[in-house]
Amino acid sequence: MVKTLSRRQMFLGSAALAFLPAVSRAEAALPPAKGPVLLTIDGAITRGNGKSDTGAPLAQFDADILDMLPQVTVETDTWWDEQPRRYRGPLLRDVLAACGADLTKGSFRAVAINDFAMTIPMGDVTRWPVLLARFMDEQPLPRRTKGPLWIMYPRRGDPDLERINVRHRWVWQLNRITVS
């Protein structure tokens, strides 16, 4: 189910773990990735669906797992495309919460397929409804159009989001997040 939320609604809390019907919350695990992995999250997380080389939790998200999270649709333009488009995906805070990341402190490093990396304060995902876009105009985002995953901020209506340093946090072709 896709929800189109108003700007105000996007700031309200979300049920990040509601997508885990087959796994009890006590087990605190993500379902296994069965398709190609689109996003890997490691670092300071408490649950995942695998283990890193050091035995720490590792979360791997395929399209099905990402689609199980509550979906948000946002219509916006970007700095790179002046034509407004409809983008859809889970809120980044829901993805991080599903891994047991502490959303109240620290930061995370977002890394793209081409190794571009940006450190983003964790406060961004609690202050704003930062979208992990997977679809544009109801089509999966291809690599040539900044996909398969793109971190998108709610650009319009907040002067803090028009600053150049926030612009650099729109990491496209995202494939890894390391939480610190």
Side-chain angles (χ1 to χ4, degrees):
M1 173 170 64
V2 177
K3 297 178 186 176
T4 301
L5 301 177
S6 70
R7 185 173 172 80
R8 184 170 185 272
Q9 288 170 317
M10 285 190 276
F11 285 99
L12 301 176
S14 52
L17 294 177
F19 79 102
L20 295 172
V23 178
S24 79
R25 292 172 197 228
E27 290 177 63
L30 295 171
K34 295 180 180 169
V37 173
L38 301 178
L39 177 64
T40 300
I41 301 179
D42 62 3
I45 62 174
T46 60
R47 61 183 158 262
N49 51 10
K51 297 283 184 192
S52 71
D53 292 340
T54 64
L58 181 73
Q60 295 184 314
F61 291 84
D62 62 11
D64 289 342
I65 298 171
L66 288 170
D67 289 347
M68 285 185 216
L69 288 162
Q71 300 290 297
V72 175
T73 298
V74 175
E75 185 166 342
T76 188
D77 62 335
T78 69
W79 284 283
W80 304 275
D81 187 356
E82 292 181 12
Q83 176 183 351
R85 299 197 180 269
R86 290 175 57 91
Y87 296 93
R88 179 169 60 90
L91 293 177
L92 187 51
R93 68 176 162 229
D94 288 347
V95 175
L96 292 168
C99 300
D102 183 347
L103 302 181
T104 65
K105 62 182 179 181
S107 61
F108 60 92
R109 187 161 179 81
V111 182
I113 293 168
N114 67 358
D115 292 329
F116 171 82
M118 179 59 58
T119 299
I120 299 173
M122 192 64 79
D124 281 14
V125 301
T126 57
R127 181 176 180 191
W128 297 295
V130 180
L131 183 69
L132 184 60
R134 196 168 91 71
F135 294 91
M136 180 176 69
D137 297 330
E138 290 307 314
Q139 299 297 315
L141 274 167
R143 276 189 174 184
R144 72 178 182 283
T145 315
K146 303 186 177 11
L149 299 172
W150 187 6
I151 296 176
M152 299 184 79
Y153 283 72
R155 181 172 175 227
R156 299 292 181 195
D158 187 332
D160 287 342
L161 293 175
E162 294 291 335
R163 296 187 333 242
I164 193 73
N165 65 327
V166 173
R167 182 180 184 178
H168 295 302
R169 297 176 189 169
W170 287 53
V171 178
W172 57 74
Q173 294 183 334
L174 177 73
N175 73 338
R176 182 172 210 90
I177 290 177
T178 300
V179 179
S180 53

